[in-house]
């Protein structure tokens, strides 16, 4: 979809428009279902800028490229930084006024999808016309589509190839954020501030050490943290690898939606299985929600329970970031995920949430040595 974001969406203090990709939503029917479905944007025109990466201004060549971005990547539209997509509109008297910004936003939808309307942020909506002159069509990925990971968040990685299969419950779309926060890595989903007494209690250096009772929540500081105070990694016991499975509530019927809904009652049923049939229960989880411009982050991590207790019983109900808060905040303003410690060299083939007889999702995650 080619969109024009008007200047009226700019922040009144600095005349810029700030957003994340999932704040574009496409609503319609398809995939053999009659009820409306919501599809979050999977890519857009390459508008990525970042002073720390020395990308301070979008070039004309860059603005013609369609890119898949991490859902947590922050974007800013301004007359200086994103000049190639900046519109100038005549005011009718020979002068010009700011007209906003025009660029492409891409969605991945079923072949039989029929769009109803497009939404941006909390209120803007465009309804697709209907009639004999309807020229809407579905296109394959164009030649100018590519991928980029410009955000400051953790990207998917593993010891080898990795993929996340289709979720049960009829969900067609696998969200980028879920895929990109699922993999074998030790990075925290957010950077914590070591100067916080709550955080420092459970850290050693820049690592969260967990233990047999690590469960706390903090309000994340705004702005950049002093690099010396950033806690960015988990401590992983010797002989184990960390697997993280990102989960976000996109549809109520999805497996991830049920995982959130039932998290306080069936934590013992959250596990992954490797190709030999061995099960690994979740020994940690995280949740973050943005409410009123402040992000509250809650984390549980119990690595010692693999030796001292029953891993299938270690997780506790969320104390601060409730499932209802995650649902209310929406996908663009929340994060949720599970943490596992698995054996090196295995291949993880499925993720299970809810009743042990079902609710599994295929995975293909090769854990390195």
């Amino acid at each position: 979809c080619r969109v024009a974001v008007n200047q009226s969406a700019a922040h009144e203090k600095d005349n810029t428009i700030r957003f994340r990709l999932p704040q574009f939503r496409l609503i319609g029917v398809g995939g053999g279902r009659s009820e409306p479905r919501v599809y979050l944007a999977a890519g857009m025109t390459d508008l990525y800028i970042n002073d720390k990466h020395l990308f301070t201004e979008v070039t004309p060549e860059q603005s013609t490229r369609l890119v898949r971005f991490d859902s947590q990547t922050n974007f800013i539209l301004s007359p200086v930084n994103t000049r190639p997509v900046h519109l100038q509109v005549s005011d009718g008297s020979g002068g010009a006024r700011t007209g906003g910004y025009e660029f492409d936003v891409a969605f991945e939808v079923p072949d039989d999808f029929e769009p109803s309307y497009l939404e941006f942020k909390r209120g803007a909506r465009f309804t697709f016309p209907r009639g004999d002159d309807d020229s809407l069509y579905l296109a394959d990925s164009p030649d100018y589509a590519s991928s980029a990971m410009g955000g400051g968040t953790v990207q998917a990685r593993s010891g080898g190839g990795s993929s996340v299969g289709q979720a049960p419950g009829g969900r067609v779309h696998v969200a980028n954020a879920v895929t990109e926060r699922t993999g074998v890595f030790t990075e925290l989903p957010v950077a914590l501030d070591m100067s916080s007494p709550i955080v420092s209690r459970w850290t050693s250096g820049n690592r969260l050490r967990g233990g047999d009772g690590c469960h706390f929540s903090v309000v994340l500081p705004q702005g950049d943290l002093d690099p010396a105070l950033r806690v960015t990694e988990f401590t992983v016991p010797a002989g184990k690898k960390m697997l993280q499975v990102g989960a976000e509530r996109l549809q109520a019927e999805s497996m991830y939606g049920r995982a959130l809904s039932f998290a306080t009652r069936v934590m013992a049923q959250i596990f992954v299985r490797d190709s030999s049939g061995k099960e690994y229960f979740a020994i940690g989880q995280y949740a973050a929600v943005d409410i009123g411009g402040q992000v509250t982050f809650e984390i549980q991590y119990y690595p010692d329970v693999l030796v001292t207790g029953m891993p299938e019983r270690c997780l506790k109900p969320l104390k601060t970031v409730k499932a209802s808060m995650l649902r209310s905040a929406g996908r663009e303003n929340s994060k949720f995920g599970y943490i596992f410690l698995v054996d090196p060299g295995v291949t993880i083939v499925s993720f299970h949430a809810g009743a042990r007889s079902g609710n599994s999702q295929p995975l293909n995650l090769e854990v390195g040595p």
Side-chain angles (χ1 to χ4, degrees), residues 25-27 115-119 123-130 134 136:
R25 303 175 297 277
L26 188 63
I27 293 86
S116 296
Y117 53 90
L118 173 71
E119 290 183 334
R125 173 182 292 192
F126 169 78
T127 301
F128 289 93
R130 289 288 180 265
D134 189 353
L136 295 174

Side-chain angles (χ1 to χ4, degrees), residues 64 117 119 128 191 204 226 241 245 291 298 303 305 339 364-365:
T64 62
Y117 53 90
E119 290 183 334
F128 289 93
S204 177
D226 183 336
K241 291 285 188 176
V245 175
I291 298 178
E298 182 171 345
V305 77
I339 302 164
N364 179 21
L365 294 166

Side-chain angles (χ1 to χ4, degrees), residues 323-340:
S324 59
M325 297 168 63
L326 293 169
R327 290 194 296 268
S328 298
R331 175 178 164 186
E332 64 269 21
N333 294 314
S334 64
K335 294 182 181 181
F336 185 85
Y338 295 108
I339 302 164
F340 305 85

Side-chain angles (χ1 to χ4, degrees), residues 249 260 289 291 318 320-330:
R249 184 162 188 155
L260 289 177
V289 63
I291 298 178
L318 293 169
T320 305
V321 183
K322 304 293 187 180
S324 59
M325 297 168 63
L326 293 169
R327 290 194 296 268
S328 298

Side-chain angles (χ1 to χ4, degrees), residues 72 92 107 116 118 145 171 176 200 216-218 258 324 326 346:
Q72 299 300 316
F107 300 85
S116 296
L118 173 71
R171 198 180 83 188
N176 295 333
S200 63
F216 64 88
S217 61
V218 292
R258 289 195 295 269
S324 59
L326 293 169
V346 301

Side-chain angles (χ1 to χ4, degrees), residues 24-200:
F24 284 99
R25 303 175 297 277
L26 188 63
I27 293 86
V29 297
R33 304 178 66 89
S34 59
E35 68 272 16
R37 301 288 300 274
V38 178
Y39 295 87
L40 305 183
M44 72 174 190
T45 298
D46 189 357
L47 301 182
Y48 180 66
I49 57 176
N50 188 307
D51 291 342
K52 294 181 180 179
H53 295 178
L54 301 180
F55 301 146
T56 58
E57 185 174 343
V58 171
T59 65
E61 296 79 11
Q62 183 179 346
S63 69
T64 62
R65 183 172 57 193
L66 188 64
V67 175
R68 177 189 297 275
F69 284 102
D70 180 280
S71 66
Q72 299 300 316
T73 304
N74 294 308
F75 296 96
I76 179 173
L77 300 174
S78 75
V80 174
N81 303 98
T82 52
R83 187 179 295 109
V85 298
H86 185 223
L87 300 174
Q88 292 292 333
V89 180
S90 172
D91 62 2
S93 61
R97 61 181 176 83
T98 300
Y101 306 85
E102 186 176 84
F103 53 94
D104 292 335
V105 179
F107 300 85
E108 294 177 340
V109 297
D111 290 338
D112 61 347
F113 183 73
E114 295 184 8
S116 296
Y117 53 90
L118 173 71
E119 290 183 334
F120 177 59
K121 289 196 172 181
R122 298 193 177 187
R125 173 182 292 192
F126 169 78
T127 301
F128 289 93
R130 289 288 180 265
D132 295 338
D133 59 347
D134 189 353
S135 59
L136 295 174
Y137 67 95
L138 298 181
D140 294 328
S141 295
D143 294 338
Y144 55 91
S146 58
S147 64
M149 295 301 175
T153 58
V154 174
Q155 311 302 335
R157 58 183 68 87
S158 72
S162 65
S163 65
V164 178
Q166 181 174 315
R171 198 180 83 188
V172 174
H173 182 62
V174 177
N176 295 333
V178 170
T179 301
E180 289 160 3
R181 285 192 289 107
T182 294
V184 182
F185 50 85
T186 61
E187 290 91 338
L188 285 160
V190 299
L192 300 177
D193 184 359
M194 194 186 306
S195 65
S196 165
I198 298 176
V199 174
S200 63

Side-chain angles (χ1 to χ4, degrees), residues 272-341:
V272 293
R273 180 178 288 148
D274 68 19
S275 56
S276 70
K278 184 175 180 178
E279 297 173 354
Y280 304 86
F281 289 91
I283 50 81
Q285 70 174 346
Y286 62 84
V289 63
D290 185 338
I291 298 178
Q294 286 191 315
V295 177
T296 297
F297 177 70
E298 182 171 345
I299 179 73
Q300 296 181 55
Y301 182 45
Y302 307 107
D304 292 356
V305 77
L306 296 181
V307 177
T308 63
M310 299 173 62
E312 64 270 26
R313 301 291 179 185
C314 70
L315 293 187
K316 308 298 190 297
L318 293 169
K319 293 180 177 179
T320 305
V321 183
K322 304 293 187 180
S324 59
M325 297 168 63
L326 293 169
R327 290 194 296 268
S328 298
R331 175 178 164 186
E332 64 269 21
N333 294 314
S334 64
K335 294 182 181 181
F336 185 85
Y338 295 108
I339 302 164
F340 305 85
L341 293 175

